[in-house]
Amino acid sequence: MANKTQEVGDIHFPFPFTPYSIQKDFMAELYQVLESGKIGIFESPTGTGKSLSLICGALSWLRDFEQKKRQEEARVLETETVPLSGGKDQPSFLSSSCQETPDTPRPVGEPDWVTQFVQKKEERDLVDRLKEEKIRRKKREERLQQIRHDTQLKYAAKRERQEEEETERLLRLSREVLAAGTGAELLEQLASGEEELVLSEYESDEEKGTANGLDEDEDDLEEEHVTKIYYCSRTHSQLTQFVHEVQKSPFGKDTRLVSLGSRQNLCVNEVVKNLGSVQLINDRCMEMQRSKHESKSRAEDKEPKRRRREPRGVCPFYNYKQLQLLRDEVLVEVKDIEQLVTLGKEARACPYYGSRFAIPAAQLVVLPYQMLLHAATRQAAGIRLQGQVVIIDEAHNLIDTITSIHSAEVSGSQLCQAHSQLLQYMERYRKRLKARNLMYIRQILYVLEKLVTVLGGNIKQNPNTQSLSQTGTELKTINDFLFQSQIDNINLFKVQRYCEKSMISRKLFGFTERYGAVLAPGKEQPKLAGFQHFLQSLQPGVAEAPAAPVEEEATVPRPASPLMQIEGFLAALTTANKDGRVILSRQGSLSQSSLKLLLLNPAVPFAQVVKECRAVVIAGGTMQPVSDFREQLLACTGVEAERVVEFSCGHVIPPDNILPLIICSGPSNQQLEFTYLKRELPQMMDEIGRILCNLCNVVPGGVVCFFPSYEYQRQVHAHWDKSGLLARLAVRKKIFQEPKRANQVEQVLMEYSRCIKCCAQVGGMVTGALLLSVVGGKMSEGINFSDDLGRCVVMVGMPYPNIRSPELQEKMAYLDQTLPQTPGQPSPGKALVENLCMKAVNQSIGRAIRHQKDFASIVLLDQRYARPPALAKLPAWIRDRVEVKATFGPAFATLRKFHHKKSGHS
């Protein structure tokens, strides 16, 4: 398909085909948002080519931005003068990579000659920096060009790496032979391999100064960050799909794109990857890097210290030359995560670090939005947002994601486990631990004990058998909670830093792995036998049994240390008092009780993104209602209303390809209002069944019916089974139910799809399938029910969240206190509940109509949909075409006519 450059105004947008008019509008609006440094909320329904509009619009802007920057740089370098700050001509992009500009304020009363001298010096410095940047850019372009045309470079480096590995293997064998001859000593009566479990001497950042953790080789890999676009989406599959769209776009050959992911997705070291848990993989990887730096520093010491132990093995995939090669290979051609991993295995280089080192020179960085929205993760990945562009796609649940990332929960069982493990660890290695380590361990033990006490339990007893005298849920401000639990005198910031730097949870995991599951033979067994029994007793619902062989356990993902989970909770407790609440949930036993830190103000972590970035784009297929984004995220972040731009476009399908209906009563004139009190009445469940029986008689292919919850879906299904309605439905459609377990979803979808295709080919009484799904479940997001898979989508009732939930009540109260009340409008707290409901509805009904020639009916079963608050929050392309039917007869006639006409033409 030939590329077709589109001109909108005086801007050229390369596009792989002739775009829809709404795509032209989308790209033009996006270009202006990026150019003027604004925040855009973009809504473009699924099937309208949103991804391509984002790619071609954003990369067209970046192309023009880079061109202007180079022209201005060339002019500055030619004349060696910079426009003064007093003039309006100084372009913003000149200083985008240089933090110091001639705009620096001068002290009042400073002599003119001093001011002129300083300005001249700053101009010279800027010119020098531009020269350096130009040299670096030229080197990078030459290097990438060479790799493009010389594939032998890759194989030469690969051969060199194999030779190095063979040399290392021979040296290791030599050392082993020598060691066997002299007799290796067991150091200080510790068992073999146990030395690595002991904590190193700890120095805080204040004592030793903050090191950047990079050696000289890694410094060489880092470049100046060019202006770039960070594209984020929710899932790994959505990111892969986006990268494939870039590959097919006119920008696919020339864009330097980097795909980022977690170590779990990118690690190619099988030993590390087999640890299973994300936290364990991260910790083992970091420990290997630390070993690399420790062994390097020991080698450079003129007076080497007496070696107490062999260093932990360094990762063979973390090698400067190989990482340099991989970084350049990543930049040469657009690759998704799978292609990156394959390349890493071939080059014997780590894709996680290789992609990270490619970030500075990349033009487009693709990453999961959890990685961008969490400051510590962002920093660890080497992401710098200053002056950059961020596009957050699939952003309908952005607020929930930010809240979830920055909230944390721990159970009574985890607190008791961590306390027992840490106490045993301290007793075992007390003589080997330095005073500072012991001090912090005692502080952590104290905190754990107090957290158990505040739940009403006793740290010294089995949490499974401890029943609590007081049950129920209690909410506290963070300060009140710290005071009540008597840990307000502990500096949690220092404890958090200690846990991070010392990697104590990783050491503790190794210790419990060694002595908790498989006891090492020898004199320590009697001493630690009680520890093993106690650990086993803490596992809920697991009887004591002989330890399984290590080989069999290796196939099961290992659970992370409970201390890792608790570290997250302690970090969350450092949230500002007004922005969070602690929920104490006391259940029947201590093990089932929990503490949860709930973030109330998602604007706090999002503020840094908005403040640092040049422009932010929040995009999605169904963004209505957008008031949540404006009020909870942007207004609370301090963004002026003028800086926010909203763009919403219609659908590309013809108007007669969609039939949205609101049905207010059923076939037996039963009023449809599925409130919490009415929906479980037998007559209401019967009415749903009758409506579906009628629909299944006239709708071909697949019907997807969404219920407000799994429990209600189960109740209705059981009622239909007893009443015989299920058998009546099965005459026309084979019935499938959404499974609760995620690993069964794919199987159900395949069988559902196969059934519909088979019925279409064979004919007969059964015309397709009926899929009973749940709003907010596995089928309501990210699943495409295109064409025959979703000819009709039915919504049973309005899926309001549980108003009695303590978390929701606290969030509502917080918004009522924080946001202004608009006269004539519901309170901010009540508006939140309505918005959550309608967001869920919009996501579910968006599963149908996936492309321009698709058609479907959308049936909303509840008279409350016809009221203005709900109607106004439907997507515009549905709202403009919706028909409200007070009775079922006319609604059914309209449906039958629509599907008869469409099926006849399809």
Side-chain angles (χ1 to χ4, degrees):
M1 207 181 312
N3 290 338
K4 301 193 176 181
T5 300
Q6 298 298 314
E7 288 195 30
V8 182
D10 56 349
I11 305 164
H12 302 275
F13 293 104
F15 215 76
F17 49 81
T18 304
Y20 306 129
S21 61
I22 58 175
Q23 287 180 307
K24 291 182 183 178
D25 296 342
F26 187 111
M27 290 189 291
E29 192 68 42
L30 177 64
Y31 192 102
Q32 290 307 320
V33 165
L34 303 188
E35 182 67 15
S36 52
K38 295 195 173 180
I39 293 166
I41 302 173
F42 282 71
E43 181 180 55
S44 180
T46 307
T48 55
K50 169 168 61 73
S51 294
L52 262 178
S53 302
L54 283 169
I55 291 163
C56 297
L59 291 177
S60 294
W61 171 82
L62 187 62
R63 170 205 64 200
D64 293 349
F65 177 85
E66 288 178 344
Q67 189 178 349
K68 287 177 199 168
K69 183 179 176 184
R70 289 195 185 191
Q71 286 171 352
E72 188 59 35
E73 281 178 3
R75 194 194 66 72
V76 169
L77 291 173
E78 187 180 337
T79 60
E80 298 207 351
T81 58
V82 184
L84 295 177
S85 57
K88 295 180 182 177
D89 300 331
Q90 185 167 352
S92 60
F93 44 74
L94 248 192
S95 57
S96 63
S97 59
C98 312
Q99 295 305 309
E100 296 172 30
T101 69
D103 295 337
T104 311
R106 304 279 163 238
V108 179
E110 193 175 72
D112 288 346
W113 67 268
V114 173
T115 304
Q116 288 172 6
F117 175 79
V118 171
Q119 283 180 344
K120 286 290 180 189
K121 183 179 185 305
E122 285 176 347
E123 284 181 25
R124 286 196 303 273
D125 289 346
L126 179 55
V127 169
D128 289 343
R129 279 198 293 272
L130 290 175
K131 284 178 181 175
E132 287 170 16
E133 198 174 299
K134 187 177 180 181
I135 291 166
R136 274 198 304 269
R137 186 169 62 234
K138 191 176 179 184
K139 278 184 182 176
R140 182 184 66 232
E141 286 168 358
E142 286 172 356
R143 198 175 65 232
L144 298 183
Q145 199 63 24
Q146 193 179 3
I147 290 175
R148 270 194 192 96
H149 296 101
D150 190 357
T151 52
Q152 289 303 311
L153 277 175
K154 185 198 297 186
Y155 298 109
K158 192 175 176 183
R159 281 197 303 275
E160 188 181 338
R161 178 67 191 148
Q162 286 168 344
E163 287 167 12
E164 284 176 10
E165 284 175 354
E166 182 61 21
T167 307
E168 285 171 15
R169 191 180 70 80
L170 292 171
L171 282 170
R172 190 169 63 250
L173 284 172
S174 302
R175 283 197 297 269
E176 285 169 5
V177 169
L178 285 171
T182 57
E185 295 178 25
L186 287 174
L187 291 170
E188 298 183 30
Q189 299 182 337
L190 284 181
S192 173
E194 199 177 357
E195 186 73 49
E196 70 188 39
L197 302 178
V198 182
L199 289 160
S200 306
E201 186 168 357
Y202 176 71
E203 289 180 290
S204 64
D205 289 341
E206 292 93 339
E207 293 165 320
K208 64 180 179 181
T210 306
N212 63 8
L214 296 173
D215 60 21
E216 288 172 14
D217 290 346
E218 290 165 339
D219 278 334
D220 291 343
L221 283 168
E222 282 282 6
E223 293 185 42
E224 190 71 40
H225 282 241
V226 303
T227 300
K228 65 180 90 287
I229 295 161
Y230 286 99
Y231 171 88
C232 323
S233 194
R234 193 174 58 88
T235 65
H236 176 69
S237 59
Q238 285 166 344
L239 292 171
T240 300
Q241 193 177 335
F242 179 82
V243 173
H244 292 167
E245 290 282 341
V246 175
Q247 288 170 333
K248 290 185 286 185
S249 80
F251 294 91
K253 298 289 182 194
D254 306 318
T255 302
R256 300 189 300 277
L257 179 147
V258 178
S259 293
L260 299 183
S262 65
R263 286 181 175 89
Q264 193 176 33
N265 283 328
L266 289 172
C267 179
V268 289
N269 185 329
E270 290 302 324
V271 176
V272 177
K273 195 162 187 176
N274 286 340
L275 290 169
S277 155
V278 181
Q279 287 171 310
L280 294 178
I281 290 171
N282 287 347
D283 282 350
R284 180 65 61 87
C285 177
M286 293 296 289
E287 195 168 323
M288 285 178 152
Q289 304 325 312
R290 181 174 292 188
S291 294
K292 178 180 191 285
H293 298 309
E294 283 173 358
S295 58
K296 190 180 181 78
S297 63
R298 272 196 297 271
E300 288 169 357
D301 281 348
K302 291 181 181 176
E303 297 290 331
K305 296 175 183 176
R306 182 175 65 87
R307 287 182 64 179
R308 295 171 57 197
R309 56 173 166 168
E310 278 293 311
R312 177 85 184 211
V314 297
C315 183
F317 296 92
Y318 191 85
N319 172 278
Y320 168 63
K321 284 186 180 176
Q322 304 309 118
L323 285 174
Q324 193 178 39
L325 167 75
L326 186 64
R327 174 199 64 186
D328 294 344
E329 280 285 338
V330 165
L331 294 171
V332 162
E333 190 181 4
V334 173
K335 295 174 184 66
D336 64 22
I337 291 280
E338 283 76 18
Q339 292 165 328
L340 185 56
V341 169
T342 303
L343 187 65
K345 287 176 180 174
E346 282 178 9
R348 301 282 295 162
C350 174
Y352 176 79
Y353 283 102
S355 58
R356 198 183 83 169
F357 291 132
I359 293 173
Q363 295 165 305
L364 180 57
V365 179
V366 177
L367 69 163
Y369 55 44
Q370 291 84 343
M371 191 179 281
L372 180 114
L373 297 170
H374 192 259
T377 310
R378 205 162 58 227
Q379 189 179 358
I383 294 165
R384 297 181 195 167
L385 296 182
Q386 192 68 46
Q388 310 293 13
V389 169
V390 163
I391 297 175
I392 302 172
D393 201 359
E394 300 299 329
H396 52 272
N397 55 4
L398 176 61
I399 293 171
D400 292 340
T401 303
I402 296 171
T403 303
S404 174
I405 290 170
H406 296 88
S407 299
E409 186 172 13
V410 289
S411 67
S413 181
Q414 287 172 323
L415 291 167
C416 288
Q417 268 188 298
H419 187 277
S420 174
Q421 291 173 3
L422 196 55
L423 190 62
Q424 294 285 343
Y425 178 88
M426 187 179 75
E427 291 302 321
R428 167 70 179 157
Y429 301 118
R430 183 187 292 274
K431 292 179 182 175
R432 305 271 302 203
L433 296 171
K434 300 291 182 185
R436 194 170 292 275
N437 276 315
L438 284 171
M439 178 193 78
Y440 277 111
I441 289 173
R442 286 197 179 99
Q443 280 192 5
I444 296 168
L445 286 169
Y446 172 81
V447 169
L448 294 174
E449 184 178 347
K450 291 300 179 185
L451 292 180
V452 168
T453 305
V454 84
L455 277 173
N458 188 327
I459 199 76
K460 294 175 183 174
Q461 295 173 17
N462 187 328
N464 291 326
T465 56
Q466 278 190 70
S467 52
L468 305 181
S469 56
Q470 183 187 352
T471 57
T473 303
E474 190 181 355
L475 277 99
K476 296 274 181 189
T477 64
I478 295 174
N479 286 351
D480 285 349
F481 174 76
L482 294 174
F483 184 75
Q484 184 184 336
S485 55
Q486 297 175 10
I487 58 173
D488 52 316
N489 59 327
I490 300 289
N491 187 329
L492 291 177
F493 290 95
K494 283 192 171 183
V495 170
Q496 181 191 350
R497 199 177 305 122
Y498 170 76
C499 291
E500 186 185 325
K501 300 287 184 185
S502 68
M503 298 178 72
I504 188 168
S505 56
R506 173 77 198 115
K507 305 284 185 183
L508 194 58
F509 180 80
F511 174 70
T512 52
E513 194 179 38
R514 187 181 185 95
Y515 291 116
V518 185
L519 278 175
K523 61 184 180 181
E524 290 301 328
Q525 188 161 337
K527 187 192 288 187
L528 290 167
F531 172 54
Q532 185 196 25
H533 289 309
F534 186 77
L535 284 181
Q536 286 178 340
S537 75
L538 294 181
Q539 299 298 327
V542 179
E544 285 189 24
V550 179
E551 291 76 23
E552 290 179 19
E553 288 193 344
T555 58
V556 182
R558 300 169 184 172
S561 161
L563 188 60
M564 292 180 185
Q565 188 83 6
I566 291 159
E567 283 177 17
F569 179 72
L570 295 180
L573 279 178
T574 60
T575 304
N577 182 57
K578 67 178 187 300
D579 295 327
R581 295 289 181 273
V582 180
I583 302 167
L584 294 84
S585 176
R586 299 184 179 96
Q587 304 300 324
S589 70
L590 176 60
S591 63
Q592 294 171 322
S593 301
S594 65
L595 298 169
K596 181 176 182 179
L597 189 291
L598 175 69
L599 179 75
L600 293 176
N601 187 3
V604 172
F606 195 64
Q608 196 176 358
V609 175
V610 173
K611 185 181 174 186
E612 291 185 7
C613 289
R614 172 198 177 93
V616 178
V617 173
I618 304 168
T622 48
M623 298 295 285
Q624 291 294 334
V626 296
S627 56
D628 280 2
F629 298 103
R630 275 189 170 275
E631 291 164 11
Q632 290 186 51
L633 270 191
L634 302 177
C636 291
T637 306
V639 175
E640 303 86 2
E642 306 80 60
R643 198 186 166 198
V644 182
V645 174
E646 282 182 37
F647 175 88
S648 181
C649 63
H651 215 298
V652 291
I653 58 167
D656 61 348
N657 273 25
I658 180 176
L659 176 63
L661 290 178
I662 295 170
I663 302 180
C664 300
S665 62
S668 62
N669 292 322
Q670 175 72 49
Q671 286 295 305
L672 300 178
E673 190 165 347
F674 294 90
T675 60
Y676 197 72
L677 294 173
K678 291 181 185 176
R679 70 186 188 188
E680 292 179 14
L681 296 173
Q683 60 264 36
M684 292 297 280
M685 293 193 274
D686 287 337
E687 202 74 336
I688 303 168
R690 291 188 198 103
I691 291 168
L692 285 176
C693 280
N694 280 286
L695 291 181
C696 290
N697 281 331
V698 297
V699 177
V703 177
V704 184
C705 180
F706 285 101
F707 289 86
S709 68
Y710 283 103
E711 178 56 27
Y712 188 56
Q713 183 212 12
R714 189 196 61 75
Q715 276 184 309
V716 172
H717 189 272
H719 179 78
W720 288 348
D721 198 18
K722 278 185 186 176
S723 67
L725 265 165
L726 207 58
R728 282 172 57 195
L729 280 167
V731 171
R732 284 291 183 180
K733 305 283 183 190
K734 186 174 178 182
I735 299 165
F736 294 87
Q737 287 189 80
E738 177 176 326
K740 268 197 168 185
R741 294 175 63 179
N743 59 359
Q744 297 172 340
V745 170
E746 195 65 36
Q747 182 67 27
V748 171
L749 283 173
M750 280 173 61
E751 289 175 14
Y752 171 77
S753 175
R754 197 181 299 125
C755 172
I756 290 167
K757 284 175 185 170
C758 182
C759 291
Q761 290 165 357
V762 174
M765 283 291 284
V766 180
T767 58
L770 169 64
L771 178 59
L772 305 178
S773 303
V774 177
V775 174
K778 318 291 183 303
M779 310 287 192
S780 64
E781 274 194 60
I783 304 290
N784 290 349
F785 293 108
S786 59
D787 301 316
D788 276 351
L789 297 184
R791 287 301 179 206
C792 181
V793 174
V794 181
M795 290 291 305
V796 176
M798 298 186 74
Y800 281 105
N802 180 7
I803 197 75
R804 289 174 292 198
S805 152
E807 288 99 328
L808 184 57
Q809 286 186 343
E810 196 63 27
K811 181 79 175 177
M812 289 169 67
Y814 174 80
L815 291 177
D816 285 340
Q817 291 165 12
T818 310
L819 298 179
Q821 170 76 57
T822 308
Q825 294 295 319
S827 69
K830 194 174 178 187
L832 168 72
V833 175
E834 290 177 358
N835 289 351
L836 287 172
C837 169
M838 292 310 296
K839 275 182 187 293
V841 169
N842 293 341
Q843 273 305 300
S844 299
I845 61 181
R847 298 307 92 213
I849 312 284
R850 309 303 289 185
H851 57 85
Q852 189 180 20
K853 294 180 181 176
D854 207 352
F855 69 89
S857 55
I858 294 166
V859 180
L860 306 174
L861 300 181
D862 200 306
Q863 60 185 7
R864 291 175 293 175
Y865 281 112
R867 295 171 191 164
L871 203 56
K873 288 168 183 170
L874 286 168
W877 62 280
I878 292 176
R879 185 175 64 241
D880 295 344
R881 303 172 194 180
V882 74
E883 296 180 34
V884 179
K885 302 291 183 183
T887 55
F888 185 72
F892 182 66
T894 306
L895 270 163
R896 184 169 50 193
K897 183 180 176 184
F898 173 82
H899 283 288
H900 177 73
K901 181 184 176 184
K902 286 294 156 193
S903 299
H905 289 120
S906 60

